Amino acid sequence: MGTFAVTGAASGMGAASAAVLRAAGHAVIGVDLRDADVIADLGTESGRRHAVEEVLSLAGGVLDGVAAVAGVGPDLPDAAAVVSINHFGPVALLDGLRPALERSGAGRAVLIGSNSATTVPAVDEELVRLALAGDEAGARERAATTQATSSGAAPSIAAYASSKFALARWVRRTAVTPEWARRGVVLNAIAPGAVLTPLMLGSTGDAAAQDPDEFATPLPVGRFGRPEDIAFWVHQFLRPEAGFTTGAVLVVDGGTDAVMRPEAQPTVLVP
């Protein structure tokens, strides 16, 4: 049995992921703003440092896996905070815990993105560039500026979609670097769609959760996702058998991305 860290462990997909891992006999170190083994705000540099230090202490410096699930939705009024929490939080946490994953001999990491990165026409390429460059101050400023000139029911939708897009691209770039791939640590992402969590309901309201056919984006399977639907794949990515899978972004959204962008995957290699 192994030792795993799960962020966002107090509710939603994080709680479901922690439950699945515990049911499999693993030790789980939960990280969240409340009701967790480690209380930390991943939206701040000091909170990220604290989370890394506490997880390493509780794990004895060795981790078998990390599930970076914590995040906020587009309903959060502060677009700059959305970028810090959704992108810079998991990136800093995984960078800080990578050596502990390496020490296990077969470390696995998975983070939660979103299908909004590919199904919402609001991705800000400049914000993505700043995020991938590690410029948190610049990314926060860009998010706040974009928010001030936009309108809509979700005040931070551009920051949300852009932060999740940047996160997926970070996974693709980082997973294949020698520091990860050649040291036995695999890194993957899951891009959920409409999953019934407090985060989704905060963004869409209870009414949207009652009829999938009335949702803003199509759901070919005819139902919303459940936290357990995502927790299943979190567990799969963290299993030892997943050691040959890295740099993957798995869309788990009931077919939304496929029906909206049927020709997007696969694409041919352009020399």
Side-chain angles (χ1 to χ4, degrees):
M1 296 296 100
T3 300
F4 296 83
V6 178
T7 70
S11 66
M13 292 181 281
S17 298
V20 167
L21 290 167
R22 290 191 178 105
H26 300 298
V28 175
I29 301 169
V31 181
D32 213 316
L33 292 170
R34 59 177 176 78
D35 301 329
D37 303 293
V38 176
I39 306 300
D41 181 358
L42 299 180
T44 68
E45 290 187 16
S46 60
R48 296 162 201 158
R49 286 195 299 270
H50 174 70
V52 169
E53 290 169 359
E54 288 297 301
V55 169
L56 291 175
S57 176
L58 291 171
V62 180
L63 282 168
D64 295 285
V66 176
V69 185
V72 292
D75 62 309
L76 191 72
D78 187 349
V82 170
V83 172
S84 287
I85 296 167
N86 284 359
H87 180 80
F88 291 95
V91 166
L93 184 88
L94 289 172
D95 278 341
L97 296 179
R98 191 206 60 77
L101 291 167
E102 182 182 342
R103 291 186 198 106
S104 77
R108 284 89 67 199
V110 60
L111 54 77
I112 299 299
S114 171
N115 76 340
S116 294
T118 56
T119 63
V120 173
V123 172
D124 181 343
E125 293 185 6
E126 177 61 13
L127 177 52
V128 171
R129 185 192 68 80
L130 290 165
L132 289 170
D135 183 354
E136 185 169 5
R140 287 176 60 89
E141 181 179 357
R142 174 72 181 188
T145 300
T146 301
Q147 180 185 32
T149 60
S150 62
S151 60
S156 299
I157 186 60
Y160 179 78
S162 301
S163 64
K164 294 295 190 177
F165 185 97
L167 201 58
R169 186 158 286 181
W170 179 82
V171 166
R172 296 279 290 170
R173 293 180 177 183
T174 304
V176 295
T177 61
E179 292 78 12
W180 288 77
R182 289 304 176 99
R183 296 185 181 179
V185 185
V186 299
L187 171 65
N188 297 288
I190 298 169
V195 178
L196 295 176
T197 64
L199 185 151
M200 175 188 155
L201 296 178
S203 301
T204 64
D206 290 339
Q210 295 175 12
D211 186 356
D213 291 329
E214 297 298 321
F215 194 62
T217 54
L219 286 162
V221 299
R223 70 170 178 87
F224 291 103
R226 299 178 295 267
E228 293 76 15
D229 293 320
I230 308 304
F232 170 81
W233 287 108
V234 168
H235 187 204
Q236 300 313 302
F237 275 126
L238 295 180
R239 291 168 60 91
E241 294 86 349
F244 196 58
T245 305
T246 200
V249 179
L250 177 68
V251 178
V252 184
D253 68 354
T256 300
D257 184 80
V259 76
M260 292 181 69
R261 307 187 318 130
E263 308 302 322
Q265 296 292 337
T267 56
V268 297
L269 176 66
V270 178

